[in-house]
Amino acid sequence: MAILETIVIAFWAMLPAYVPNNAAVLAGGGRPIDGGRTWGDRRVLGDGKTWRGTAMGIVAGVALAVVLTVIEPTVSDALGFAVPRFEPLAALGLAGGAMFGDILASFLKRRSGRQRGAMFPGLDQLDFVVVSLPLTALLATDWFLTWFTLEVILVVVVVTPILHVTTNVIAYKLGLKNEPW
């Protein structure tokens, strides 16, 4: 597989995992998942992790996977190589795993004493990857093994932090985020 092909496949395959956290921010608000509970003297998750944001993030990721699947033949023809069509469980694993990864990161941030919005390098950029890939592999094993080669996973791990930081800075400059990370 050529390097450009690998990068395109990695980006395309991860789009349903890239979108949920951004959609959750836009649709967030409402009741916190932790219901205001604390563990020790710290919130379990915090006000930033809501049921509505989580649900909308998952719906947005799955909906994007549906759209990508519909346009896949045209895109694959235009590129001259195949990009993934998303099986339902693959879409759910990517989108749901992304949201669960973000929730897990929030839990770890609270345990380490960080406040909502505080930077946690590494975790902030890869939390959703670390959960979405194994969950997708579990739910849609054959699909995952077809598309997530070692090279594709390597591209995801290297490119995702760059994309994450870039999109967060843009969202910050547009006033959609309170901090640029």
Side-chain angles (χ1 to χ4, degrees):
M1 193 179 318
I3 186 74
L4 181 59
E5 183 177 343
T6 303
I7 292 169
V8 169
I9 289 170
F11 182 73
W12 183 278
M14 285 301 293
L15 275 171
Y18 286 157
V19 167
N21 288 324
N22 298 318
V25 169
L26 296 175
R31 186 166 171 242
I33 293 170
D34 68 8
R37 290 180 197 85
T38 58
W39 184 356
D41 60 344
R42 297 182 184 128
R43 281 288 294 275
V44 174
L45 298 174
D47 289 337
K49 302 300 167 226
T50 66
W51 290 108
R52 180 173 53 209
T54 300
M56 292 309 295
I58 293 169
V59 167
V62 170
L64 178 59
V66 169
V67 170
L68 293 174
T69 296
V70 168
I71 67 171
E72 176 276 327
T74 304
V75 172
S76 291
D77 286 346
L79 292 172
F81 59 86
V83 293
R85 294 176 60 90
F86 294 90
E87 295 178 1
L89 287 177
L92 184 60
L94 288 163
M99 292 309 301
F100 185 66
D102 192 52
I103 291 166
L104 181 61
S106 181
F107 176 78
L108 293 173
K109 283 181 171 183
R110 299 305 86 78
R111 301 295 62 77
S112 69
R114 288 174 172 81
Q115 296 301 315
R116 178 179 178 195
M119 189 169 26
F120 198 138
L123 183 67
D124 286 332
Q125 293 78 32
L126 292 171
D127 56 354
F128 60 98
V129 172
V130 170
V131 178
S132 66
L133 292 184
L135 183 58
T136 304
L138 181 68
L139 294 176
T141 306
D142 291 340
W143 182 89
F144 181 86
L145 293 174
T146 297
W147 293 107
F148 283 93
T149 63
L150 184 58
E151 294 83 7
V152 167
I153 292 171
L154 182 60
V155 167
V156 167
V157 169
V158 170
V159 171
T160 297
I162 296 166
L163 289 172
H164 188 271
V165 169
T166 302
T167 58
N168 282 340
V169 167
I170 291 168
Y172 174 73
K173 289 185 184 267
L174 291 173
L176 299 172
K177 289 191 63 148
N178 295 329
E179 58 281 321
W181 49 82

